[in-house]
Amino acid sequence: MHRKTIVAANWKMNGDVSLINEMTDALNTISISENQQVIICPPAPYLGALTQANTNARVAVGAQNINEQLKGALTGEVSALMLKDLSVQYVIVGHSERRSLFAETSGLVADKAKQALAQGLTPIVCIGESEDEREQGQTEQVLSEQLAPVLSALDNDELTDVVFAYEPVWAIGTGKTASAEMAQQTHRFIREFIAATDSDAADKVAILYGGSVNAGNYQELFAQPDIDGGLIGGASLKVEEFKTICLAE
Ligand code: PGA
């Protein structure tokens, strides 16, 4: 099964209008093949500017979060319906910063993924263990507990429309990357866990690696059979470096 390579930029609370213009211009200078998908996830206030600046059919726009409700008295929140209205195609849900700093549970992440799919958006569902959990041999248990509510909330035909991102918390923004071998082993586990619900979907679903991916390590990581690309934080703010990573096949 040859899956697309997806390179997704998570700008977090960084970037501005000039980065949007520089990035969209730079991505227009490279040839992104049919088998690749680039996604840029800027902060919410910049989604409209990015959808307007982006003229590249191989570059999609994504958000970093949604509320699980569609509308209402929820000051400061953004709904899947609004993203759809802006032609946003993807939304990150359950990033470890949302889980740890904003107390998002795996149940809430499942509700967000479900709502995204209901509005025709592709959720990028993030999962990952902390350093302590890895050291205590709990990685697979933690990932299972994060995945289970999502898998049970979705119908099997929805599952193929989800992108998963495995991001070990200890590798995010730290410069420490999981070795390609360790990442592959964990991605294999995730795919097998999904296969227990739906083996066909498990074959098709993209599982991205995230955590200190950069121009120096992306090739080895993306070459692993169960790694279908990356969710990139720090390196996605550097135009030249991100452009290089986008050329990954
Ligand atoms: P990083 O962030 O590439 O800066 O480690 C990745 C992420 O948090 O998605």
Side-chain angles (χ1 to χ4, degrees):
M1 170 91 220
H2 193 56
R3 294 174 293 265
K4 269 193 183 185
T5 299
I6 301 176
V7 179
N10 175 12
W11 284 4
K12 310 191 180 185
M13 201 169 75
N14 299 294
D16 51 22
V17 172
S18 60
L19 184 61
I20 284 172
N21 293 331
E22 280 166 43
M23 190 63 84
T24 47
D25 286 351
L27 293 176
N28 281 337
T29 65
I30 58 172
S31 134
I32 304 168
S33 82
E34 228 176 276
N35 208 36
Q36 297 161 293
Q37 175 70 61
V38 174
I39 307 164
I40 303 178
C41 307
Y46 294 118
L47 287 165
L50 178 59
T51 50
Q52 281 180 7
N54 177 41
T55 52
N56 192 325
R58 302 254 191 264
V59 178
V61 178
Q64 298 175 12
N65 182 34
I66 44 165
N67 188 275
E68 70 283 10
Q69 307 288 334
L70 277 189
K71 59 178 181 174
L74 292 158
T75 303
E77 292 295 272
V78 169
S79 79
L81 212 52
M82 295 164 189
L83 299 183
K84 194 68 197 160
D85 198 26
L86 285 175
S87 307
V88 171
Q89 290 171 264
Y90 292 82
V91 58
I92 299 170
V93 295
H95 189 279
S96 69
E97 287 149 20
R98 303 269 348 147
R99 291 176 189 263
S100 66
L101 304 172
F102 301 93
E104 292 196 4
T105 62
S106 295
L108 179 67
V109 173
D111 291 344
K112 291 185 177 198
K114 184 89 186 158
Q115 188 62 272
L117 287 161
Q119 304 314 318
L121 300 167
T122 300
I124 302 174
V125 177
C126 301
I127 55 173
E129 81 289 0
S130 68
E131 190 153 35
D132 268 7
E133 289 161 344
R134 177 157 288 267
E135 274 165 11
Q136 286 166 31
Q138 295 169 344
T139 300
E140 295 190 353
Q141 186 198 326
V142 169
L143 296 176
S144 308
E145 286 168 7
Q146 291 174 339
L147 282 168
V150 176
L151 297 181
S152 63
L154 305 184
D155 303 329
N156 282 10
D157 63 339
E158 289 179 316
L159 199 48
T160 44
D161 295 329
V162 176
V163 171
F164 289 92
Y166 167 59
E167 300 202 302
V169 177
W170 47 271
I172 295 177
T174 57
K176 287 194 218 168
T177 323
S179 67
E181 196 188 359
M182 187 198 278
Q184 164 55 26
Q185 234 175 36
T186 312
H187 278 235
R188 185 74 227 147
F189 167 78
I190 295 166
R191 202 175 295 285
E192 279 167 3
F193 191 87
I194 298 168
T197 299
D198 182 340
S199 60
D200 190 45
D203 243 10
K204 292 184 181 140
V205 99
I207 308 175
L208 314 184
Y209 171 79
S212 299
V213 176
N214 58 41
N217 60 23
Y218 78 96
Q219 276 168 313
E220 201 192 350
L221 286 160
F222 296 4
Q224 304 304 312
D226 288 295
I227 300 183
D228 305 310
L231 180 56
I232 322 232
S236 75
L237 296 165
K238 300 174 191 154
V239 174
E240 286 309 309
E241 184 161 12
F242 187 65
K243 209 168 91 171
T244 304
I245 301 170
C246 286
L247 289 170
E249 287 281 357

